Amino acid sequence: PDIFGSLDKGLVDAGVASAPRPAFRELVDLATQRIPFLQGAIIVNRGYLQRERPVVVITSNNEKELPDAFLRRCIFHYIEFPDAALMKRIVAVHHPNLDTTLLDQVLIKFYWLREQSELRKKPSTSELIDWISALLRAGITRDQIEGHIPFLGVLLKKEQDADALQRYDAKGGNYPSRWSDLGPRYNQ
């Protein structure tokens, strides 16, 4: 039986029971309440779904392994990390009036960091958005960001990653300042 069939019958099979407990508990909670924006499509009456079974979307950043029994009940869809053009659109939602030359410098540094193989945790989109907020609050200009990466702790969350960048600095490493510095993949 699949996870939804188990919910429908009010049962949990051994495979579903091996699913991550918090994730499964949230799924059960989802199926036991009315969800206003779905116009009452999901209602449980004594353990049985009355109308439609829920469709649950679970996102993963691959930081934790999920049990095979849980994964067998999933349909996977891999979403590529946003390219620079899409990332500009994403940033514009959060920072609509951001100077385009500053945005270019920010994205050049961001994508360069993501390409560094020494990093254990590459900076994510949400960290980029937070980093831009920090830069704006501090009044950092395009010229100030061209030669270094201020507020690195907003982007890098692992001590080993910050150490790797300090070693790069100590060796006299240069940071990219043009898209072409990142290679043909990023040519704008």
Side-chain angles (χ1 to χ4, degrees):
D2 67 12
I3 194 166
F4 298 116
S6 298
L7 286 173
D8 197 12
K9 297 175 192 128
L11 303 173
V12 177
D13 71 17
V16 174
S18 68
R21 296 278 185 226
F24 184 69
R25 247 184 257 118
E26 285 190 33
L27 186 60
V28 170
D29 288 346
L30 175 67
T32 58
Q33 59 186 308
R34 181 180 291 263
I35 302 175
F37 62 85
L38 293 179
Q39 298 153 342
I42 302 169
I43 305 169
V44 170
N45 182 10
R46 295 188 199 130
Y48 293 90
L49 294 175
Q50 290 183 340
R51 288 184 57 203
E52 298 176 23
R53 294 178 182 166
V55 172
V56 179
V57 177
I58 300 172
T59 61
S60 171
N61 56 8
N62 288 327
E63 286 187 3
K64 295 183 181 168
E65 284 292 316
L66 296 172
D68 288 340
F70 182 76
L71 295 175
R72 279 193 299 273
R73 291 160 173 83
C74 297
I75 298 172
F76 290 86
H77 177 71
Y78 180 75
I79 300 173
E80 288 284 333
F81 193 80
D83 63 10
L86 179 55
M87 190 62 79
K88 286 178 181 182
R89 291 176 43 211
I90 293 169
V91 168
V93 170
H94 299 275
H95 300 286
N97 300 316
L98 185 62
D99 176 69
T100 56
T101 59
L102 176 61
L103 176 59
D104 268 349
Q105 278 306 304
V106 164
L107 290 178
I108 289 167
K109 301 300 186 289
F110 175 75
Y111 281 103
W112 177 81
L113 274 173
R114 288 190 54 83
E115 294 288 326
Q116 302 310 301
S117 60
E118 299 85 18
L119 298 184
R120 284 188 52 211
K121 184 190 178 306
K122 298 181 184 311
S124 67
T125 304
S126 65
E127 290 157 341
L128 171 65
I129 301 299
D130 293 344
W131 185 46
I132 293 170
S133 295
L135 295 171
L136 292 174
R137 285 181 182 238
I140 300 292
T141 66
R142 173 197 173 277
D143 293 336
Q144 290 172 304
I145 200 173
E146 201 167 283
H148 75 292
I149 302 176
F151 306 114
L152 191 59
V154 179
L155 289 169
L156 301 180
K157 304 301 183 184
K158 301 282 184 190
E159 184 178 1
Q160 302 93 309
D161 294 345
D163 290 346
L165 209 60
Q166 286 176 347
R167 286 191 301 276
Y168 180 81
D169 282 340
K171 292 178 187 176
N174 292 318
Y175 294 107
S177 59
R178 298 182 315 264
W179 284 106
S180 60
D181 295 340
L182 300 179
R185 178 177 168 194
Y186 293 101
N187 284 344
Q188 299 286 309

